[in-house]
């Protein structure tokens, strides 16, 4: 069995190589995909997944290589054990031979006579046994060489597998390179994002600059805002109107999508159920086959199997112990790392855990409540499932009942043959009905034409009478309602007719099934009518399409009611036409097809109607909106200019929003890429840890191996070759100790595995609870839909069962055709074969089904992942909205500050000194820029935080979904396996029962046919008459022989077919084994998925750490925000101070500019309010915008009126005052501006200096923080460098150890070579010893011969010779022992060399891995150092910029101080002039106050008018809302009506489908019956042909008999005449006249003529006789006289005649026996009587057969004329006549001797004869 083990190992190696090639192809495929999609960010998840797959493949490869090495070692150990057993047996045989030789010597010592032949035989037997042992030794050496060759091949294959692993590593490196390229692309995208941000900031600066406009542009801005608000209101109204319509369509679509998804899921589950059931049946069949084969081979292989099991168990225990050690070491190292990391992060995590615990407790409570609710729902669902299973069982019972009914129909088939004529009459009637229906179709066509003409008239009337549309509509409605009623009545009548026709057609179906041959002609006619009907239906469909198009055009003009009526009429018309067409189809199949088409068209028409109604509703809504818009257009024309300006502003804002969204997307993509890179780095760190653990394990194993070698080497060197047996005993003891240790290790390993499993189960249970909660929420929404789908799925399952039954029946029909020609014994053999074939086909189907199931499972997973992605996108949108709300609040604050700053600028802008102001303004802008940058950074950080949260939730959802899918699949597999054990047995029983019924029916049919054949044969035998026995039997024999040959050929064919079936069954078994292997592979893939889940959990922990880091960053940013807010507060304080001073200095100017400033502030406040509340609901925005619009309209109108009035009054009254005012105002402005500017400059400079000092302090603090961070990073870098140095030291140590191992291996190789040389020497010595043994054998033979010669007195020489033989045998034994020891030592050395080679290869692989990790770490260090240097350089650049800004500000301060000194002198001079001007301005102020009071009264009036207008508008809006609500209710009612109609139609459709299924079943039964009828008819035709052949044979025989009778009627037998003629001359002369009388009677001469001849002269006779003899003397032969003839001459003629009769009655040659009984001539009365009784047909048959066989029959000998066939008297046996003239007896064909008594003389006998 060693060779079988090696062959199995080779097969496994081939399988592994195939898997490696498959994996390589998959790697290439994924590489191609990665190259094609390298630029996209979504491929990073695929790259990570591929890397995980590569790692798993590497692990599986390494495990398989280790397993193969263990198998090799086990095989070698087994081979060594077998060699030791053979050597022990050899030693035992040698000891037996020695004992025999001693016995021979004792016999020789006893005496000379002791040497006997028995002793010689014993010696000869010993020599033979020695030769046999030598041959066995040669064979064993050959086997050893073959095993060594196989071991070499296996090692080569292992090396090739390792090369494949290296190739996979190279591919992994390539993937890493591609990943780095992707990282570079990410960095480039980040740079582009930064550029886009700078550009966006510039655009915002430009917008801010544009907003700071003079006071004159404020009115235009107000107008633009009003236009934008009105435009927004219109858009919102339009969107609301559209969304109300769209929501319904969207709801419908969503419902449809949900229904489709649930149907797909249900179908997939049902398919999986069926496939699992098929797999169970296949496994059961295979298990039975295996049982049958195993029962035969158990006795032979039980012992070997037990030994193998023990070896495999030990191997598994070793492997498990090694794996446990590795796992424990890796877990210890991971725990150390986790402890280190925990100590670092405990301080940060404590605060977060307290918050998370409180949140988690609340979530857990909610989840528990949800779980309880969902469990209740699950119980309800399980009850529903139980009900469904019960319904399925009931349906199965119904199916069985239907099969029984079908069998009853088979029996009633024969009775229905008499009803053919009645059915033909009914078919003719149905044809007449067809013709009438065609006429009705033509009438309907005319009706449609009339309708079209009416439509054209309606169009014309519409064009003429559009004004009087309403009245016409009512008339049309009434007319259409009347038409519809009439059409409905017609429909009801048509349906009744249709039902009657269906009943008639059902009866016709049942009868047509048995009468297919009679209906062939009618079928041709029906096919022609079907083609004609199809043409008609096509024409009607084209007409209907044209009508629908025309109706569509009219529908645009007519109202909704008209459209509905027209559509209903068209639908009813189509249904009537289709029903009329359906009536034309007489046969059941055609009717069913037509009805199915009608149903489909009706469904489609109803769908079209629903869509049209939806379109009409949309059109009406559109019209109404158009009317509303047209009414509102007049009001909107006035505000068109304002709206256009606002639209431009909105477009700009939209562009900015789109740009910001693009930047957001890019930033989120970059963050995702960074996270994937972080995960990859963490995985690489884990791989480093695992590699370190493997390195430690290898070091320990190397130390152990060194110790073992150091122990084993001196022992091997010290002890001689004789002591190898002792070593073997010690090895056995060590093996026992090792077994005990392995058992202990296995026990510990089981405990560890149980603990790990418990941990994994707890984790899975947590994740499953999360998953179940999500799934139950989703299922709760779809529960109502699933109930409706279950019914449909049940129908589908029933259809599938029907299909399976039909397939089984089709297979049975095929088997029937093959079975009919066979006997009952062959039929019983083929039953089993057919069952085997069905099982094989089921297996083949199962293999496909399993692959399809797996593909569908993958597709379901993909769908689940898509759904999770959609959920994640929605969550990200919500988080973005929250972040937008926060940003909006901040922007509100900023806008308020901007508005305040702009107000200050507006107040200051009236001064003349603008240069310094512009200077300060630029500084303020620079500060605002910096502030906006800080806010942008804050927004980015908040977005990053939200993205991280969403991605964390995504990963958790994916993990939960995958685990839920796994648990679901496992549960379903268990349930289906439990179900299928019951259902599969029931199905098998049902199929066996059906087959047994079919077999019984076939047996009955065969018995009937055999009885028919027997009756036909009996008829043939009785029809032939008694005399025709001989001629027919030969022909029957020939026919029977031919039939037997044919049957033999058929039997041979059936045997060949049986062999083919057996081969196919074997092939199917092989395929099932392959499918089992594929199943195992798929299970391995499921395990890989579970590993991926554990890896995802590890990634989750990494995400938590990154989340904590992000929170620390957020805290830092919050501190920076606080600094910025502090600086803003200081700016606000300075602003307040400036405003106070300005109020003191310029009270007069404040009154003039207060209105404008208030308007600007109100506008800006409106802006800020609009921007802050943009994230709220649309309705609130609309209301606020309306209010602001109304206020602003009133303000604009009042301002315009005030402007007009002021301009008129000023133009008339103050032309003179303008000049004075201009001079005074210019002087006042100059002085005031100079004062304000100087004061503002001083205060602002002081504030700026303070702010800059604060900023410098904050920047210094930031710089110190950065320096501290850099120091920490440097420390981390140094730590990493130290780690790399430690790793390099470890690697150097490993290299040294590797070199030592290489040196040790070289020493081993030298020792191995020396051992090989010694082995060669020993082999030479063995050959020499064998030659010596041969020579000694020859000498022993010679001595035996000498012993034979010298038996006496030569015992001494014999003893010497025997002693020499003994010594030689002892030498041979010692040599054999030495040879065995040498072979054992060689094998041990080979084992050690192979293990050392494997270890060297492992060490080399680990060296390569460690070098790769070193390179990776170095690259990582370089990258981190580069990043830190870049950050340091950027910080230095920022410091330089800040210092430059400080110097510039100091320079500006110096220049401003100089300007202040100059301005102070001018201010003192101008103060006096300003006081004089103040008095003038106070007067003007009083005048403007009066004007203000007047204008305020006007404003109040305008406000009242506005309030009235608002009331009117609200009334209009309420009316519109009421209209919309009424229309919505109408639409809802319509929808409910349509839904009810759809439900009714669905019920009808279900009932029609049930009818269809019944009709299909009936059709199937009909088709089966027709096939059986065809078979029976073919059999009948064959039997008729056989009958015709038999009748032709009979006719031939009768003809031949007639010819024979006619030919033998007038002939006379030559022999009889010759004997009579010779007897005449032998008789004495007085008695010769008696002989002449006899001759006359034979020749037919009358008595009277004979008497006349005798009365004539006596010489007349002699003359006649002499003349007769004279003529023929030449021809007559001379008969020589016998010796007894002299006595005969004296006797009388009567005596001679009696003797003649006696001799004739005993011929020398026996006559042939004739087969035909009672052959009589045609003229005989007996024949005539028989002919009278026989019918005409048989007479003709006999005549024809007689005619045929006249020339052939060899049995018809020429009959003598003396014994005629005709009875001349006609009186029968009782009549008078000569005895020679009597017919031959019926019974005997030969002549019977007449008994003659000795008393009576010959004359008396003759007299008696003549009397008779």
């Amino acid at each position: 069995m060693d060779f079988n083990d090696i062959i199995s190992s080779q097969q496994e190696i081939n399988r592994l190589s195939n898997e490696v090639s498959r994996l390589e192809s998959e790697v290439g495929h994924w590489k191609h995909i990665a190259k094609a999609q390298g630029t996209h960010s979504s491929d990073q998840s695929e790259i990570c997944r591929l890397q995980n797959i590569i790692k798993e493949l590497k692990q599986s490869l390494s495990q398989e290589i280790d397993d193969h090495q263990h198998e090799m070692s086990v095989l070698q150990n087994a081979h060594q054990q077998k060699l030791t057993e053979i050597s022990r047996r050899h030693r035992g045989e040698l000891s037996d031979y020695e004992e025999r030789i001693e016995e021979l010597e004792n016999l020789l010592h006893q005496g000379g006579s002791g040497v006997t032949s028995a002793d010689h035989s014993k010696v000869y037997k010993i020599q033979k046994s020695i030769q046999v042992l030598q041959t066995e030794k040669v064979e064993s050496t050959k086997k050893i060489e073959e095993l060594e060759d196989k071991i070499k091949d296996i090692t080569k294959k292992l090396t090739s597998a390792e090369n494949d692993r290296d190739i996979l590593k190279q591919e992994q490196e390539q993937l890493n390179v591609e990943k780095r390229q992707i990282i570079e692309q990410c960095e480039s995208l980040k740079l582009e994002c930064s550029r886009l941000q700078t550009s966006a900031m510039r655009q915002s600066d430009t917008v801010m600059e544009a907003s700071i406009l003079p006071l004159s542009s404020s009115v235009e801005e107000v107008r633009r805002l009003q236009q934008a608000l009105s435009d927004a209101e219109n858009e919102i109204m339009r969107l609301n109107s559209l969304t109300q319509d769209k929501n319904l369509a969207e709801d419908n679509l969503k419902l449809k999508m949900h229904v489709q998804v649930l149907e797909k899921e249900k179908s997939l589950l049902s398919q999986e159920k069926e496939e699992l059931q098929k797999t169970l049946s296949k496994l059961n069949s295979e298990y039975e086959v295996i049982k049958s084969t195993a029962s035969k081979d158990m006795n032979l292989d039980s012992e070997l199997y037990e030994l193998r099991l023990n070896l495999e168990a030990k191997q598994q225990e070793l492997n498990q112990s090694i794996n446990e050690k590795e796992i424990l070491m890796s877990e210890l190292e991971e725990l150390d790392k986790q402890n280190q990391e925990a100590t670092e992060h405990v301080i940060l995590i404590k605060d977060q855990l307290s918050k998370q615990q409180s949140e988690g407790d609340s979530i857990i409570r909610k989840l528990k409540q949800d779980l309880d609710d969902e469990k209740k729902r699950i119980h309800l669902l399980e009850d529903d499932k139980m009900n469904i299973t019960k319904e399925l069982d009931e349906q199965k019972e119904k199916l069985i009942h239907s099969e029984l009914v079908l069998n009853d129909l088979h029996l009633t088939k024969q009775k229905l043959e008499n009803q053919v004529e009645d059915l033909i009459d009914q078919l003719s009637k149905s044809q007449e009905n067809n013709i009438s229906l065609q006429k009705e179709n033509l009438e309907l066509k005319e009706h449609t034409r009339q309708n079209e003409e009416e439509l054209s008239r309606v169009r014309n009337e519409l064009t003429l009478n559009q004004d009087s549309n309403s009245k016409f509509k009512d008339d049309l409605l009434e007319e259409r309602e009347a038409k519809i009623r009439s059409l409905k009545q017609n429909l009801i009548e048509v349906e009744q007719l249709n039902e009657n026709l269906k009943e008639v057609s059902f009866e016709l179906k049942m009868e047509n099934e048995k009468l297919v041959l009679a209906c062939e002609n009618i079928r041709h006619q029906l096919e022609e009518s079907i083609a004609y009907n199809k043409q008609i239906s096509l024409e009607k469909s084209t007409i209907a399409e044209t009508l629908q198009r025309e109706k569509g055009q009219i529908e645009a003009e007519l109202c909704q009611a008209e459209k509905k009526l027209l559509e209903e009429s068209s639908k009813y018309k189509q249904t009537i036409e289709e029903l009329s067409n359906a009536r034309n189809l007489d046969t059941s199949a055609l009717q069913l097809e037509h009805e199915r088409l009608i149903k489909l068209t009706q469904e489609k028409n109803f769908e079209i109607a629903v869509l049209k109604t939806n379109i009409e509703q949309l059109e009406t809504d559109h019209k109404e909106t158009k009317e509303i818009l047209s009414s509102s257009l007049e009001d909107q024309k006035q505000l068109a200019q304002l709206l256009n300006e606002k639209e431009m502003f909105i477009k700009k804002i939209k562009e900015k929003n789109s740009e910001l969204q693009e930047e957001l997307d890019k930033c989120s993509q970059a963050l995702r890429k960074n996270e994937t890179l972080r995960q990859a780095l963490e995985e690489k760190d884990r791989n480093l840890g695992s590699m370190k653990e493997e390195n430690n394990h290898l070091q320990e194993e190397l130390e152990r191996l060194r110790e073992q070698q150091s122990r084993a080497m001196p022992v091997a060197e010290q002890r001689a070759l004789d002591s190898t047996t002792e070593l073997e005993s010690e090895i056995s003891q060590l093996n026992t100790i090792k077994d005990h240790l392995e058992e202990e290790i296995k026990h510990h390993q089981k405990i560890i595995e149980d603990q790990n499993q418990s941990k994994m189960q707890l984790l899975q249970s947590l994740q499953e609870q999360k998953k179940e909660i999500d799934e139950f929420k989703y299922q709760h929404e779809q529960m109502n839909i699933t109930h409706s789908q279950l019914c449909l799925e049940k129908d589908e399952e029933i259809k599938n069962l029907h299909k399976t039954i039909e397939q089984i029946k089709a297979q049975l029909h095929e088997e029937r055709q093959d079975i009919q020609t066979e006997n009952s014994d062959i039929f019983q053999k083929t039953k089993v074969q057919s069952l085997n074939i069905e099982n094989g086909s089921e297996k083949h189907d199962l293999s496909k089904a399993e692959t399809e199931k797996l593909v569908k499972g993958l597709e379901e997973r993909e769908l689940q992942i898509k759904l999770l992605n959609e959920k994640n996108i929605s969550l990200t949108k919500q988080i973005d909205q929250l972040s937008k709300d926060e940003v909006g609040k901040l922007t509100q604050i900023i806008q308020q500050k901007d508005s305040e700053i702009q107000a200050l600028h507006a107040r200051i802008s009236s001064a003349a000194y603008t240069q310094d102001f512009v200077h300060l303004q630029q500084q303020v802008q620079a500060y605002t820029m910096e502030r906006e940058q800080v806010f942008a950074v804050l927004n980015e950080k908040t977005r990053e935080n939200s993205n991280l949260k969403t991605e964390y939730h995504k990963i958790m959802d994916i993990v939960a979904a995958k685990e839920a899918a796994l648990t679901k699949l496992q549960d379903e597999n268990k349930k289906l396996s439990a179900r299928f054990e019951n259902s599969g047995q029931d199905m098998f029983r049902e199929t066996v029962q059906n087959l047994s019924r079919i077999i019984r029916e076939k047996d009955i049919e065969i018995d009937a046919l055999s009885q028919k054949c027997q009756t036909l044969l009996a008829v043939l035998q009785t029809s032939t008459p008694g005399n025709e026995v001989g001629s027919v039997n030969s022909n029957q024999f020939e026919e029977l022989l031919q039939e037997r040959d044919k049957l033999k050929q058929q039997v041979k064919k059936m045997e060949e077919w049986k062999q083919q079936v057996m081969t196919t069954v074997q092939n199917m078994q092989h395929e099932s084994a392959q499918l089992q292997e594929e199943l195992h592979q798929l299970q391995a893939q499921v395990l890989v998925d579970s590993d991926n889940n554990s890896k995802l959990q590890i990634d989750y922990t990494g995400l938590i750490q990154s989340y904590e880091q992000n929170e620390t960053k957020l805290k830092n940013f919050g501190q920076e925000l606080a600094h910025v807010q502090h600086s803003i507060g200081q700016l606000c304080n300075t602003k307040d101070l400036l405003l106070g001073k300005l109020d003191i200095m310029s009270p007069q100017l404040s009154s003039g500019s207060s209105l404008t400033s208030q308007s600007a502030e109100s506008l800006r406040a409106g802006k800020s309010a609009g921007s802050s509340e943009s994230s709220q609901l649309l309705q609130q925005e609309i209301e606020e915008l309306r209010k602001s619009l109304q206020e602003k309209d009133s303000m604009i109108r009042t301002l315009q009126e005030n402007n007009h009035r002021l301009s008129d009054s000023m133009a008339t009254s103050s032309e003179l005052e303008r000049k004075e005012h201009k001079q005074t105002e210019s002087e006042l402005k100059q002085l005031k501006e100079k004062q304000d500017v100087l004061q503002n400059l001083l205060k602002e400079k002081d504030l700026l200096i303070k702010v800059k000092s604060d900023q410098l302090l904050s920047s210094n603090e930031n710089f110190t923080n950065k320096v501290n961070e850099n120091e920490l990073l440097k420390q981390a870098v140094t730590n990493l460098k130290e780690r790399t140095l430690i790793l390099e030291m470890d690697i150097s140590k490993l290299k040294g150890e590797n070199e030592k191992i290489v040196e040790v291996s070289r020493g081993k190789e030298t020792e191995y070579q020396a051992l090989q040389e010694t082995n060669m020497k020993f082999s030479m010595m063995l050959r020499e010893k064998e030659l010596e043994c041969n020579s000694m054998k020859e000498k022993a033979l010679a001595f035996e011969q000498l012993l034979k010669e010298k038996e006496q007195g030569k015992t001494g020489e014999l003893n010497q010779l025997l002693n020499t033989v003994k010594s030689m045998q002892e030498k041979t034994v010692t040599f054999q022992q030495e040879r065995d020891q040498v072979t054992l030592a060689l094998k041990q050395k080979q084992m050690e060399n192979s293990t050392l080679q494997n270890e060297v290869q492992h060490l080399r692989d680990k060296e390569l891995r460690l070098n790769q990790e070193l390179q990776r770490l170095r690259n990582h260090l370089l990258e981190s150092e580069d990043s830190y240097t870049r950050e340091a350089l950027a910080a230095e650049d920022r410091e330089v910029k800040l210092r430059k800004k400080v110097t510039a500000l100091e320079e500006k301060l110096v220049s401003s101080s100089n300007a202040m000194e100059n301005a102070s002198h001018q201010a003192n001079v101008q103060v006096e002039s300003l006081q004089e001007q103040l008095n003038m301005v106070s007067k003007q102020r009083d005048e403007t106050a009066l004007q203000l009071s007047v204008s305020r009264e006007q404003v109040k009036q305008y406000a009242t008018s506005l309030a009235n207008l608002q009331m009117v508008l609200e009334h209009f809006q309420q009316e519109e809302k009421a209209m919309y609500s009424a229309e919505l209710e109408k639409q809802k009612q319509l929808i409910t009506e349509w839904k009810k109609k759809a439900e009714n139609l669905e019920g009808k459709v279900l009932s029609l489908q049930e009818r269809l299924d019944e009709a299909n079943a009936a059709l199937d039964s009909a088709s089966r019956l027709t096939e059986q009828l065809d078979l029976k008819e073919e059999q009948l035709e064959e039997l008729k042909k056989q009958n015709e052949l038999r009748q032709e044979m009979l006719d031939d025989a009768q003809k031949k008999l007639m010819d024979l009778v006619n030919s033998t009627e007038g002939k006379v037998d030559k022999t009889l005449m010759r004997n009579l003629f010779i007897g005449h001359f032998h008789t004495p002369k007085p008695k010769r006249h008696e002989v002449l009388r006899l001759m006359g009677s034979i020749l037919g001469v009358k008595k009277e003529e004979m008497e006349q001849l005798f009365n004539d002269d006596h010489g007349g006779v002699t003359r006649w006789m002499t003349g007769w003899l004279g003529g023929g003397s030449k021809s007559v032969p001379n008969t020589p006289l016998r010796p007894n003839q002299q006595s005969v001459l004296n006797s009388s003629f009567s005596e001679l005649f009696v003797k003649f009769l006696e001799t004739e009655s005993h011929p020398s040659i026996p006559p042939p026996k004739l087969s035909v009984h009672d052959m009589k001539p045609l003229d005989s009365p007996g024949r005539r009587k028989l002919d009278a009784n026989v019918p005409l047909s048989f007479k003709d048959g006999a005549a024809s057969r007689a005619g045929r066989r006249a020339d052939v029959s060899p049995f018809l000998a020429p009959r003598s004329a003396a014994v005629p066939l005709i009875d001349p008297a006609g009186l029968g046996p009782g009549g008078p006549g000569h005895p020679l003239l009597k017919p031959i007896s019926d019974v005997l064909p030969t002549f019977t001797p007449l008994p003659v008594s000795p008393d009576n003389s010959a004359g008396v006998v003759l007299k008696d004869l003549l009397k008779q």
Side-chain angles (χ1 to χ4, degrees), residues 19-33 50 53-54 57 168 171 1085:
E19 284 180 356
V20 168
S21 62
R22 182 173 62 75
L23 292 167
E24 284 176 354
S25 64
E26 284 180 357
V27 167
H29 175 65
W30 290 115
K31 267 192 189 176
H32 183 68
I33 291 161
L50 288 167
I53 290 159
I54 288 157
L57 290 170
L168 286 167
E171 288 172 354
Q1085 287 180 359

Side-chain angles (χ1 to χ4, degrees), residues 507 913 961 1486:
E507 291 172 358
Y913 298 103
D1486 296 329

Side-chain angles (χ1 to χ4, degrees), residues 1295-1328:
K1295 281 180 181 175
E1297 286 172 359
N1298 281 325
E1299 287 171 359
K1300 288 177 186 176
I1301 289 157
V1302 169
E1303 287 173 359
V1304 171
S1305 65
R1306 284 176 187 166
K1308 295 281 180 185
E1309 282 177 357
T1310 54
E1311 286 174 1
Y1312 180 68
Q1313 288 174 359
L1315 286 166
Q1316 278 184 343
E1317 289 172 358
T1318 54
N1319 193 9
M1320 291 293 286
K1321 288 176 185 176
F1322 278 120
S1323 63
M1324 293 295 287
M1325 291 285 283
L1326 273 170
R1327 286 175 189 170
E1328 289 172 0

Side-chain angles (χ1 to χ4, degrees), residues 696-895:
N696 293 321
H697 287 303
L698 285 167
Q699 285 176 359
E700 289 173 0
E701 286 175 358
L702 280 169
E703 287 171 0
R704 271 193 294 143
L705 288 165
R706 282 174 193 161
E707 288 172 0
Q708 287 176 4
Q709 286 171 6
S710 63
R711 287 174 193 167
M713 286 296 289
V715 171
E717 287 171 356
Q718 285 169 8
R719 293 183 184 178
L721 295 164
D722 298 329
S723 63
T724 51
T725 54
E726 294 175 0
L727 283 166
E728 287 174 356
S729 64
E730 287 175 359
I731 287 157
S732 64
Q733 289 174 2
L734 289 165
N735 282 321
T736 55
I737 292 155
K738 186 183 80 176
D739 294 331
H740 289 299
L741 289 166
E742 283 172 353
E743 287 172 357
E744 288 175 0
I745 289 158
K746 195 173 183 180
H747 182 67
H748 290 301
Q749 190 177 4
K750 283 179 183 175
I751 293 157
I752 291 155
E753 283 177 354
D754 294 327
Q755 289 174 359
N756 288 323
Q757 284 176 1
S758 65
K759 283 180 188 175
M760 290 299 287
Q761 283 173 1
L762 287 166
L763 290 167
Q764 285 177 359
S765 65
L766 283 168
Q767 291 173 357
E768 282 170 2
Q769 284 173 1
K770 289 179 184 176
K771 266 196 287 180
E772 283 172 358
I773 288 152
D774 294 327
E775 287 175 354
F776 288 143
K777 284 176 183 176
Y778 184 68
Q779 287 175 1
H780 179 64
E781 292 171 356
Q782 296 178 350
M783 278 294 290
N784 294 319
I785 300 160
T786 51
H787 287 298
S788 62
Q789 286 176 350
L790 284 168
C791 297
L792 296 169
E793 285 168 355
K794 282 181 195 171
D795 293 330
E796 288 176 355
E797 288 175 354
I798 291 155
K799 286 178 184 175
N800 290 320
L801 289 167
H802 281 301
K803 287 178 183 176
T804 54
I805 290 156
E806 286 173 1
Q807 288 175 0
I808 292 158
K809 286 176 182 174
Q811 289 177 358
L812 287 168
H813 282 302
E814 290 174 359
E815 288 173 1
R816 283 179 193 170
Q817 290 177 0
D818 295 326
I819 287 158
Q820 281 174 1
T821 54
E822 292 181 341
N823 293 323
S824 64
D825 296 322
I826 297 159
F827 186 75
Q828 288 172 0
K829 288 177 186 175
T830 53
K831 287 176 193 174
V832 181
Q833 293 174 1
S834 65
L835 288 166
N836 289 325
I837 292 157
E838 287 175 0
N839 290 323
S841 65
E842 286 173 359
K843 288 174 192 172
H844 188 64
D845 293 329
L846 278 168
S847 65
K848 292 177 184 174
E850 284 173 359
T851 51
E852 289 173 356
K853 180 181 82 177
L854 291 165
V855 173
K856 287 172 183 174
L858 289 168
E859 289 174 354
E860 285 178 356
R861 290 240 180 119
E862 288 175 357
L863 287 167
Q864 288 173 0
I865 289 156
K866 286 178 183 175
L867 291 167
L868 290 166
N869 287 322
E870 288 174 359
K871 286 181 184 176
N872 289 324
I873 290 158
S874 64
L875 288 167
T876 52
K877 285 178 181 175
Q878 289 174 4
I879 290 154
D880 290 328
Q881 284 177 1
L882 291 168
S883 62
K884 283 177 185 174
D885 293 332
E886 291 172 0
V887 173
K889 289 174 184 177
L890 290 167
T891 50
Q892 281 177 16
I893 295 156
I894 292 157
Q895 286 174 359

Side-chain angles (χ1 to χ4, degrees), residues 23 54 65 122 175 247 472 524 530 559 762 913 938 1033 1069 1074 1159 1167 1304 1320 1328 1444 1460 1497 1678 1724:
L23 292 167
I54 288 157
I65 289 158
K122 284 179 182 177
L175 285 168
N247 284 322
F472 184 71
H524 291 298
I530 290 153
C559 296
L762 287 166
Y913 298 103
L938 251 179
N1033 267 332
Q1069 286 175 357
Q1074 291 175 359
S1159 64
K1167 278 187 189 176
V1304 171
M1320 291 293 286
E1328 289 172 0
K1444 285 178 181 177
M1460 278 293 290
E1497 288 173 356
N1678 294 318
S1724 65

